[in-house]
């Protein structure tokens, strides 16, 4: 119950913030450049005990291309995943996950520099674990779907943006859960 209430409060704050920021647009809409394409990139280590103990880092990556179909709707392909970087002696793990899919996004407050969006991403996921002292070799393929509400924060020129969002999926993420907070840095052209 507390978790639902916290999610509801967070979503309310996002919507109210975006709405108030939308009211502050300049009115020079005719002079603003509208970019129809974007490339988004994510690359960061998964922060967990293995990383801080110096045993293993798991970089998470994501790359996407988006094409704006209408001012509110965009779509495109995405590739994402994670892999190990062995940091210390005795850490000889070899595994990775690769996801490939196509997303569709609906954006609210398209004239604002703070925009709210909802996104859906059906994708194919391939996992590989090499045999090690704890587990036998494993290969697994799955089809998944990811739903993501979030906000986009745009630069003044609208050439760059940062997406901050919560991802929910039927397949577990690197954190072992079906949800994770994520981000992407985007370049618009």
């Amino acid at each position: 119950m507390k978790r639902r209430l916290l999610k509801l409060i967070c979503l309310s704050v996002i919507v109210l913030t975006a709405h108030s920021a939308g009211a502050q647009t300049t009115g020079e809409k005719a002079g603003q450049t509208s970019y129809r394409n974007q490339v988004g990139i994510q690359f960061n280590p998964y922060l967990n005990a293995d990383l801080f103990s110096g045993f293993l880092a798991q970089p998470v990556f994501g790359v996407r291309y988006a094409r704006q179909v209408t001012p509110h709707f965009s779509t495109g392909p995405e590739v994402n995943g994670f892999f190990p970087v062995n940091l210390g002696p005795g850490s000889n793990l070899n595994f990775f996950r690769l996801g490939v899919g196509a997303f569709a996004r609906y954006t609210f407050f398209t004239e604002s520099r703070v925009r709210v969006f909802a996104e859906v991403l059906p994708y194919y996921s391939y996992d590989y674990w090499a045999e090690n002292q704890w587990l036998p070799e494993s290969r697994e393929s799955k089809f998944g779907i990811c739903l993501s509400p979030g906000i986009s924060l745009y630069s003044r020129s609208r050439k760059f943006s940062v997406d901050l969002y919560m991802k929910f999926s039927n397949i577990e993420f690197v954190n072992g859960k079906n949800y994770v907070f994520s981000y992407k840095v985007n370049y618009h052209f």
Side-chain angles (χ1 to χ4, degrees), residues 48-177:
N48 65 356
D50 289 339
L51 175 67
F52 293 114
S53 70
F55 178 69
L56 179 74
Q58 296 178 65
V60 177
F61 67 90
V63 178
R64 72 165 38 172
Y65 166 78
R67 174 78 175 161
Q68 185 179 17
V69 179
T70 70
H72 293 279
F73 182 72
S74 59
T75 187
E78 177 174 319
V79 176
N80 58 45
F82 60 90
F83 57 92
V85 175
N86 298 302
L87 300 175
S91 59
N92 59 353
L93 297 176
N94 183 14
F95 60 90
F96 68 88
R97 172 177 291 164
L98 181 65
V100 178
F103 72 93
R105 172 185 285 196
Y106 190 84
T107 304
F108 300 91
F109 315 116
T110 57
E111 297 300 323
S112 171
R113 287 179 47 201
V114 179
R115 302 175 187 181
V116 176
F117 67 84
E119 186 174 286
V120 62
L121 169 71
Y123 64 100
Y124 167 78
S125 175
Y126 177 76
D127 293 3
Y128 171 77
W129 282 83
E131 183 176 350
N132 59 49
Q133 61 196 33
W134 300 287
L135 297 168
E137 182 178 68
S138 170
R139 297 169 193 260
E140 188 174 22
S141 298
K142 300 178 190 174
F143 282 99
I145 189 159
C146 183
L147 304 173
S148 305
I151 61 171
S152 293
L153 307 172
Y154 279 76
S155 66
R156 184 176 300 241
S157 68
R158 295 192 172 51
K159 276 285 239 197
F160 298 96
S161 66
V162 176
D163 294 340
L164 306 171
Y165 52 101
M166 196 70 171
K167 294 169 71 172
F168 300 93
S169 179
N170 61 322
I171 298 176
E172 290 181 351
F173 293 107
V174 67
N175 64 356
K177 300 177 181 170

